[in-house]
Amino acid sequence: MGSPVRVLAEATPATRDRYVDLLRVASLGAVVLGHWMMAAVTPDGVGNLLAVVPALQPLTWLLQVMPVFFFVGGFAHALSYRSLLRGRPEGSTDSVYAAFLRARLQRLLRPTMVFVLVWGAAALLVQLLGGGGGLTGVMLRLVTQPLWFIGIYLAMVAFTPPLLRLHERYGWGAFAGLAGAAAAVDVLRFAAGVPYVEFLNFAFVWLAVHQLGFLRADGRLGVGPGLAALRRPALLAGAGLTGAVALVAAGPYPLSMVGMPGEKVSNMAPPTLALLCHGLWLVGAVELLRAPAARLLARPRAWRTVVAANGVAMTAFLWHLTAMLGVYGAMLALDVPLPEPATAAWWAQTPLRLAAAAALAAALVAAFRTFERPAPTAPGAGSGPLAALGVTLCLLGVLGLSMVGFAGLLEGRTALLIAIPVSAPAAVATTLCGWLLVERAGRGVLRDRGMSGRSGRQRP
């Protein structure tokens, strides 16, 4: 008997779109590497290499790949929800929705809750012992920041059924409606100065990218044989790149497609129309690479690598900042010199720092990877409204925690989630309650007919 990875790889159905799995792994991997490279750590704190060397900011037009992950999510969510609906009796959409949420969120929320609880306990212990200053305090603030991505992804899963219905009725028109709404938000924000309206683009921009995944699931991004299949992705990439360049040139959109310290306008938080155009460019570009990537993934060794990485991708994403900051903390504790960022000595030291961060991340993945495996379920009925309430609580809790971090637990530190002050304990409690509700709402439905997960549907 072979290894579990080899067995799973050899059991892959011929109909599975392997390129989607590669895109998921590659996009998360690019985010991890980008965070490791951008960190400009000195004994005084953590800065951003892109702020130290502004000439590197155009690289974000290639390396800001979160739109690709959300695009892949849309593709997989469409296949998953349709698979659950297939063969179900009329009027059973309530339990299907609960099962869909639990199935899609299980591999997301279980490792996330472990991460939150482990870090919460560690932060409390550190602060009870009188620590929490210097790089430790920075770490307690920063390690939760990537959780914003989890919050946005939760919203995408929750909105999949109604947006999929809109897609099935209007096709490209549904995407155009979301893109138009994102443009209208920016007009209200920059031209009319309407307060708080910009936060709506956390929904409109990312859901528009997610909608492109629905179009891909229906084969509407590339149609026809040979070169004809490349026409639409090329148009999409060209239109997106042209739009992003025009918007940045005209302003007030910044050049960087990731957030920069101290900037008045960020393309990321909240998202802008420029970031949506950037997403179109990336989606079109990766679709142009689909055929050669498919040939590569037909090789057993390449596919086994993707399968192995796919099984731990979320765990690695959650713990990658812990690994990076842990390496810097160890260097400071051992009095290893930290050169000034972007100097020759800094660049010379970079490969060693990356290797150390990768080794520590591998150890953390080995310790926590088991929580990314789906848990078995028992037969039963699900509740759609209860599941919706649970995912809403998870969304609010995770976003709140991404903003407030774990620093200042004993002092009652808070941060604003739009206009609501939130503390770390409140955010953790909200997330935990939401997760328990999602588990309870969808428990057991997955073993009903058509929900066993053996249909070959795509799952990122």
Side-chain angles (χ1 to χ4, degrees):
M1 182 180 294
S3 69
V5 168
R6 181 182 292 272
V7 171
L8 189 59
E10 292 175 350
T12 302
T15 55
R16 187 176 183 90
D17 192 332
R18 300 183 179 193
Y19 186 41
V20 167
D21 295 285
L22 174 62
L23 289 179
R24 176 183 186 261
V25 169
S27 57
L28 287 181
V31 170
V32 169
L33 182 60
H35 285 168
W36 286 352
M37 288 294 299
M38 285 192 303
V41 179
T42 67
D44 298 324
V46 180
N48 191 317
L49 180 65
L50 298 177
V52 178
V53 189
L56 294 177
Q57 292 182 19
L59 291 177
T60 62
W61 289 52
L62 292 174
L63 300 178
Q64 168 48 288
V65 293
M66 271 303 182
V68 175
F69 188 91
F70 293 141
F71 162 66
V72 166
F75 173 86
H77 296 159
L79 295 188
S80 177
Y81 188 69
R82 286 169 173 170
S83 176
L84 292 174
L85 282 176
R86 196 174 299 123
R88 300 294 296 175
E90 199 71 29
S92 65
T93 53
D94 183 73
S95 62
V96 169
Y97 182 64
F100 170 74
L101 285 183
R102 187 172 191 270
R104 301 309 302 172
L105 297 183
Q106 193 180 63
R107 286 184 63 198
L108 191 71
L109 287 179
R110 290 179 75 237
T112 299
M113 286 310 309
V114 171
F115 171 82
V116 166
L117 293 175
V118 168
W119 257 113
L124 183 59
L125 180 62
V126 165
Q127 291 169 71
L128 284 173
L129 294 176
L135 186 61
T136 302
V138 172
M139 181 182 288
L140 294 177
R141 290 195 302 273
L142 291 184
V143 290
T144 64
Q145 285 189 0
L147 293 180
W148 74 266
F149 149 78
I150 306 290
I152 298 299
Y153 200 79
L154 288 170
M156 290 181 175
V157 175
F159 282 109
T160 287
L163 288 179
L164 188 57
R165 288 192 290 270
L166 284 177
H167 159 75
E168 289 168 346
R169 182 170 182 178
Y170 298 108
W172 278 96
F175 165 78
L178 289 167
V185 165
D186 274 12
V187 170
L188 293 173
R189 175 187 180 182
F190 296 121
V194 177
Y196 298 118
V197 70
E198 63 267 26
F199 293 103
L200 292 174
N201 267 351
F202 276 113
F204 293 139
V205 168
W206 292 125
L207 288 176
V209 174
H210 189 248
Q211 207 79 7
L212 291 173
F214 295 167
L215 290 161
R216 188 189 194 279
D218 287 348
R220 301 178 71 173
L221 286 189
V223 292
L227 293 178
L230 302 179
R231 189 172 301 137
R232 193 163 289 173
L235 289 172
L236 195 65
L241 187 57
T242 301
V245 169
L247 289 170
V248 169
Y253 304 96
L255 174 63
S256 174
M257 288 298 162
V258 301
M260 299 295 297
E263 63 185 356
K264 293 182 178 179
V265 176
S266 167
N267 282 320
M268 270 292 295
T272 64
L273 183 62
L275 185 66
L276 176 56
C277 290
H278 170 69
L280 297 182
W281 133 249
L282 281 182
V283 167
V286 298
E287 283 297 286
L288 290 173
L289 299 174
R290 184 176 179 177
R295 290 193 292 270
L296 172 65
L297 294 172
R299 301 176 182 177
R301 180 175 297 179
W303 177 235
R304 285 197 301 270
T305 301
V306 172
V307 169
N310 215 17
V312 298
M314 190 52 57
T315 304
F317 175 79
L318 286 166
W319 292 95
H320 78 280
L321 283 188
T322 303
M324 180 198 75
L325 293 170
V327 167
Y328 278 110
M331 292 173 68
L332 289 173
L334 297 172
D335 291 324
V336 176
L338 283 178
E340 283 297 314
T343 61
W346 187 89
W347 286 111
Q349 194 188 68
T350 296
L352 296 176
R353 292 196 309 270
L354 292 180
L360 183 51
L364 290 168
V365 166
F368 295 108
R369 63 181 298 177
T370 184
F371 298 103
E372 196 166 342
R373 297 170 185 162
T377 58
S383 167
L386 190 62
L389 174 61
V391 77
T392 301
L393 291 175
C394 285
L395 168 65
L396 295 174
V398 166
L399 287 180
L401 192 56
S402 74
M403 300 184 70
V404 70
F406 282 117
L409 279 178
L410 301 181
E411 292 80 20
R413 181 176 182 266
T414 63
L416 285 180
L417 178 59
I418 303 179
I420 303 171
V422 58
S423 66
V428 171
T430 302
T431 306
L432 182 59
C433 288
W435 175 56
L436 293 175
L437 286 177
V438 170
E439 286 287 306
R440 179 178 177 83
R443 182 164 296 155
V445 194
L446 301 180
R447 286 192 180 175
D448 288 352
R449 181 182 175 187
M451 298 190 181
S452 64
R454 298 179 183 176
S455 61
R457 66 180 183 272
Q458 205 85 17
R459 181 185 67 185

